[in-house]
Amino acid sequence: MDDTLLHRLRVEQARALLDGVDPHHAVMLACDLLVAGVDGEAVVALASESARTLPAHAADRRLAAVIAELGLPEPDLSTAVALIAADTAERILDRSITAEVGTHGLYVVGYEGSQMDDLLPAVTALASRLEDDLGGRADDELRIQLAALARTILNRTPAGDPA
């Protein structure tokens, strides 16, 4: 398995640990694992699910089976937070998630054991402005501030998989 797939798997593993898996991401990851030649029984089972209709709790179970099948150790809490924060920051910067989703996704920095918990006030300020001042719809100024925060998070995350 290449480093990119391993990294994606570790990010989804971290999401399962802290927030729950996104069924679409889990199924697409399993499909990509199959294409890469990782064809264990659990990988095939997850890849055969519908990315649109798979319930989140079932995606969690299926991904846990894939992780067990591949023998990946569970990340510690600090590593899980760093993986999710960095992934969210990357998605904010490449605009694959909206500023609204990204802002709330960065609350992960406040988890106990986080090495980035000092950024929680900045996340809270952006989220408060988004919800209280902007009615839940980001403006250009908020997007600029969010991108700056995302770059700060990426600069504080070790290169590659922080695991």
Side-chain angles (χ1 to χ4, degrees):
M1 170 178 352
D2 71 21
D3 289 343
T4 301
L5 275 176
L6 180 58
H7 178 74
R8 285 177 55 203
L9 185 57
R10 298 284 289 154
V11 169
E12 291 309 314
Q13 181 185 27
R15 285 192 194 286
L17 180 65
L18 296 180
D19 296 327
V21 172
D22 177 314
H24 178 79
H25 289 153
V27 171
M28 293 299 105
L29 175 59
C31 291
D32 291 343
L33 286 168
L34 280 177
V35 169
V38 181
D39 59 356
E41 193 173 303
V43 175
V44 171
L46 180 55
S48 68
E49 293 286 351
S50 168
R52 289 180 308 157
T53 61
L54 179 65
H57 68 279
D60 282 336
R61 281 196 326 270
R62 294 269 190 207
L63 185 67
V66 168
I67 289 165
E69 185 172 80
L70 297 175
L72 291 178
E74 186 172 282
D76 61 49
L77 191 56
S78 178
T79 299
V81 168
L83 284 165
I84 295 170
D87 182 67
T88 302
E90 288 169 356
R91 290 176 190 220
I92 288 166
L93 293 172
D94 72 11
R95 295 183 179 207
S96 62
I97 59 174
T98 65
E100 296 83 1
V101 170
T103 299
H104 292 291
L106 290 180
Y107 269 117
V108 71
V109 301
Y111 272 81
E112 184 179 333
S114 170
Q115 301 294 318
M116 292 184 254
D117 61 348
D118 61 307
L119 297 176
L120 185 58
V123 173
T124 301
L126 285 175
S128 293
R129 181 166 178 271
L130 173 65
E131 298 304 329
D132 299 339
D133 300 342
L134 300 174
R137 302 195 92 202
D139 64 4
D140 289 340
E141 183 181 337
L142 187 127
R143 285 186 189 90
I144 290 167
Q145 293 170 339
L146 182 61
L149 180 58
R151 284 189 290 280
T152 297
I153 288 168
L154 291 175
N155 288 336
R156 289 183 52 182
T157 304
D161 191 343

